Amino acid sequence: MSKDANAGLTPGSVLTAAQLATLDAVLNLIVPASADGRMPAAAEVGVPAYLCAEAADVLPQLREELDELERRSRLRFARGYAALEEGERKSLVEALRAQTPAFMNRLAMETLACYYQHERVLEGLGLEARPPYPKGYEVAQGDLSLLEPVRARGKIYRDLP
């Protein structure tokens, strides 16, 4: 799906209220808030909206995984996933990942991609929340002498006609 095709997608249009509550609980397991409050939890940085805009192809699988978490939660604990204590949530996800190692892998990757772009996270890390251009960032100069063996080898390719 192209970004243009994703233009009308919103978390509320692709996920039910129960799925959104489950998603928030999972996101806070992936990246919990820091104890000092400096770093937000993943559920606080707009991951559902990011998924709709940037990774809509993950949504069908995500809906299935959220529903499976909810189903297993009701079977094991007799209540929905969002109502569980943190330890119960964690044990349920770990049990599912033990059975299916790829369970929620894509969600974890997309969550981190969104998380480390968010201005609150960048500021919490002590970085200026801004694009690299036009100010740029200071890049430490590497040791270019490490390239000497490559340079000494000479040209190992042929020119195009």
Side-chain angles (χ1 to χ4, degrees), residues 61-137:
Q61 178 184 350
L62 178 61
R63 281 193 294 268
E64 290 175 17
E65 291 172 336
L66 294 171
D67 289 344
E68 183 63 13
L69 265 180
E70 186 70 13
R71 187 182 75 74
R72 297 268 185 118
S73 176
R74 292 194 180 279
L75 283 173
R76 185 169 168 188
F77 299 105
R79 59 191 189 283
Y81 187 81
L84 300 178
E85 298 294 321
E86 183 180 343
E88 294 170 324
R89 290 176 184 164
K90 191 173 184 176
S91 71
L92 190 54
V93 169
E94 287 172 352
L96 279 164
R97 288 181 60 88
Q99 290 176 338
T100 310
F103 185 75
M104 294 205 159
N105 274 359
R106 180 79 190 277
L107 174 63
M109 296 297 289
E110 296 296 344
T111 297
L112 295 176
C114 174
Y115 187 80
Y116 287 106
Q117 293 179 50
H118 197 273
E119 66 183 39
R120 282 183 56 202
V121 174
L122 293 172
E123 289 168 358
L125 292 171
L127 300 171
E128 190 177 346
R130 63 172 176 81
Y133 182 81
K135 287 174 131 182
Y137 286 109

Side-chain angles (χ1 to χ4, degrees), residues 21-44:
T22 299
L23 178 58
D24 277 354
V26 170
L27 292 174
N28 288 337
L29 280 180
I30 295 171
V31 182
S34 64
D36 62 5
R38 190 173 55 102
M39 299 295 287
E44 300 173 43

